[in-house]
Amino acid sequence: PDGHLYLSFAPEVECWTTSHIAMFATSILYTVGVLVGMPMLILWNIKSHQRDGTLHHPKVVEKWGWVHDAYESEYKYWEVVLIVRKIVIAGIAIVVTEPMLQGAFTLVVLAVLLSAHVYTAPYIRRTIDVMDFTSLVASILYALA
């Protein structure tokens, strides 16, 4: 009504003012730093330690073992798949505002992820494979609700 734009999630914040630009810049830095940087750091870490033969060195495992120790050797990068999975699902919830489309996109992504999980069974321990499978099925059922 007054010709100004306001954030939908924070109507008291006028768009393109100093505070909005600061929030926008922070969100861009966070997005690049965490959503792109973390998976890239994990991939680089695994690749570099694998290249120099120290991937299973006790000091490396102590610091970075959480990234790859739970997975079969051919799926040592699976932690990145899990991070991307969370990013994509959250992205759908943020970007797609139409509820039916949001549900449809989420179901498609979850079905692809479930198929990838069943095909790979990436965990060393079968019980963790079953728990992740169950989690994906529960997520699909929730999305259908």
Side-chain angles (χ1 to χ4, degrees):
D2 63 2
H4 297 278
L5 297 175
Y6 296 90
L7 295 181
S8 59
F9 67 90
E12 70 280 2
V13 178
E14 184 179 346
C15 292
W16 306 115
T17 60
T18 305
S19 62
H20 177 249
I21 291 169
M23 283 189 268
F24 183 73
T26 302
S27 69
I28 295 298
L29 289 173
Y30 177 83
T31 300
V32 171
V34 174
L35 302 184
V36 175
M38 181 60 101
M40 294 305 291
L41 174 65
I42 290 170
L43 290 172
W44 172 81
N45 185 283
I46 292 172
K47 196 72 171 164
S48 65
H49 286 297
Q50 187 177 19
R51 190 177 328 112
D52 64 17
T54 60
L55 189 62
H56 299 291
H57 187 275
K59 287 196 182 279
V60 173
V61 171
E62 182 181 334
K63 187 173 182 179
W64 291 98
W66 64 273
V67 171
H68 59 80
D69 271 1
Y71 308 106
E72 302 283 351
S73 61
E74 62 267 30
Y75 303 114
K76 61 185 154 288
Y77 300 106
W78 198 258
E79 190 67 31
V80 174
V81 173
L82 297 181
I83 292 170
V84 171
R85 172 168 104 181
K86 293 170 189 168
I87 292 168
V88 169
I89 296 296
I92 290 170
I94 293 167
V95 173
V96 181
T97 56
E98 168 61 41
M100 291 299 286
L101 281 176
Q102 199 176 64
F105 284 137
T106 300
L107 283 171
V108 168
V109 168
L110 288 171
V112 168
L113 291 166
L114 181 63
S115 299
H117 178 79
V118 168
Y119 180 76
T120 61
Y123 293 95
I124 292 172
R125 294 181 54 200
R126 175 140 170 75
T127 53
I128 300 176
D129 274 324
V130 170
M131 287 189 329
D132 200 30
F133 171 84
T134 305
S135 169
L136 285 165
V137 169
S139 296
I140 288 171
L141 293 174
Y142 181 78
L144 285 170

